[in-house]
């Protein structure tokens, strides 16, 4: 079954404690991205990766890092989380051919206290 | 830049009522348009899509028509069910590198 997986699904942490949210896809897509979802703001893109070793900033990259060492994995790293990063995070992947619909993971709900 | 504006919610309807959720867009180039649905506790799922002007996307009784002249892609369903309660997102994509989403509209359908 084609899918995007994320771990953990829920995470409560404290300010400043480094964390990593993993994302993996089995669809052999080159493109992967991270979004955060906040009430009234929809989904905003954090980072994206067009292919292995190539990443670029989205609309809200501050406070986040990513790495793309393998095609299937695209972890999101928060080096020093802050309360304003409390949000629902989604990983997504996209086909190479148009119309470029995206396939989303189940989400990770992060709370930073 | 490219952007999507969709009607604010929440929307509350009775079962079997007619649903319209408005969506308008601004884009350079020729966008593809999408509606995604998010059920409680889940990720976003593609509901329907349209790739060019006058295309009609449809799925599970939902429809939306790509109107280039009004830059709109309104979502409609003739008779909603309780199971349609979810958050609906309108989105567009011009390039492979990004996708723009509206703020989302929460729909609650009451028996």
């Amino acid at each position: 079954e084609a899918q995007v997986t994320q771990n953990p699904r829920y995470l409560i942490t404290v300010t400043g404690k480094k964390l990593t949210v993993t994302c993996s896809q089995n669809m052999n897509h080159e493109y992967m991205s991270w979004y955060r979802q906040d009430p009234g703001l929809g989904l905003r893109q954090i980072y994206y990766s067009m292919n292995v070793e190539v990443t670029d900033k989205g609309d809200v990259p501050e406070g986040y890092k990513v790495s793309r060492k393998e095609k299937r994995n695209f972890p999101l790293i928060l080096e020093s989380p802050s309360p304003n990063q409390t949000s629902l995070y989604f990983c997504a992947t996209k086909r190479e051919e148009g119309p470029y619909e995206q396939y989303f993971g189940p989400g990770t709900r992060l709370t930073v206290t | 830049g490219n952007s999507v504006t969709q009607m604010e919610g929440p929307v509350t309807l009775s079962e079997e009522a007619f649903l319209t959720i408005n969506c308008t867009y601004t884009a350079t180039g020729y966008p593809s348009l999408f509606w995604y649905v998010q059920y409680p506790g889940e990720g976003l799922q593609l509901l329907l899509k349209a790739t060019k002007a006058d295309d009609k996307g449809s799925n599970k009784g939902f429809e939306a028509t790509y109107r280039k002249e009004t830059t709109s892609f309104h979502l409609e369903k003739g008779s909603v069910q309780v199971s349609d309660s979810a958050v609906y997102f309108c989105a567009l994509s011009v390039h492979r590198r990004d996708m723009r989403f509206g703020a989302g509209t929460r729909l609650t359908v009451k028996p």
Side-chain angles (χ1 to χ4, degrees):
Chain A
E1 178 191 354
Q3 59 181 352
V4 181
T5 57
Q6 295 178 228
N7 283 291
R9 293 290 312 277
Y10 303 91
L11 179 59
I12 301 173
T13 190
V14 296
T15 299
K17 185 176 181 181
K18 181 179 178 180
L19 66 92
T20 299
V21 183
T22 64
C23 173
S24 182
Q25 52 103 358
N26 64 0
M27 289 176 271
N28 204 36
H29 289 166
E30 296 282 354
Y31 179 98
M32 297 184 75
S33 63
W34 277 101
Y35 293 86
R36 61 178 287 173
Q37 182 184 357
D38 301 290
L41 297 177
L43 275 76
R44 294 178 293 167
Q45 191 178 55
I46 302 170
Y47 270 94
Y48 65 94
S49 171
M50 297 293 282
N51 50 53
V52 174
E53 302 291 358
V54 177
T55 63
D56 209 345
K57 296 177 180 178
D59 296 319
V60 288
E62 294 76 21
Y64 304 94
K65 287 176 57 178
V66 293
S67 70
R68 186 89 183 276
K69 293 183 170 55
E70 309 166 90
K71 188 184 237 185
R72 65 181 291 125
N73 296 322
F74 191 43
L76 179 70
I77 303 158
L78 284 73
E79 294 269 0
S80 183
S82 62
N84 65 12
Q85 293 178 297
T86 293
S87 188
L88 180 58
Y89 291 87
F90 289 101
C91 180
T93 183
K94 189 186 286 188
R95 295 155 49 98
E96 273 66 64
E97 308 84 28
Y100 307 137
E101 62 201 71
Q102 291 201 87
Y103 303 89
F104 287 85
T108 295
R109 185 166 292 282
L110 172 66
T111 302
V112 183
T113 61
Chain B
N2 301 331
S3 65
V4 176
T5 302
Q6 65 181 100
M7 66 183 285
E8 293 187 20
V11 174
T12 302
L13 296 173
S14 297
E15 209 165 22
E16 299 184 3
F18 185 86
L19 168 71
T20 299
I21 301 178
N22 291 337
C23 171
T24 57
Y25 67 89
T26 301
T28 55
Y30 302 95
S32 293
L33 301 174
F34 307 88
W35 277 100
Y36 282 85
V37 59
Q38 183 181 31
Y39 298 104
E42 298 184 12
L44 277 73
Q45 304 173 25
L46 180 66
L47 180 60
L48 54 83
K49 64 186 177 188
T51 59
K52 61 183 186 296
D54 300 324
D55 267 3
K56 178 184 284 188
S58 61
N59 186 25
K60 299 181 181 179
F62 291 89
E63 294 183 339
T65 301
Y66 189 140
R67 301 284 188 201
K68 188 176 180 183
E69 63 277 12
T70 55
T71 62
S72 64
F73 192 54
H74 304 322
L75 182 68
E76 297 181 335
K77 186 175 186 183
S79 176
V80 294
Q81 306 300 312
V82 172
S83 58
D84 294 326
S85 297
V87 180
Y88 293 83
F89 292 92
C90 186
L92 71 81
S93 181
V94 178
H95 305 291
R96 186 161 80 92
R97 66 177 176 269
D98 70 356
M99 178 174 278
R100 298 289 171 175
F101 290 85
T105 302
R106 181 176 299 278
L107 169 67
T108 301
V109 180
K110 296 188 173 181

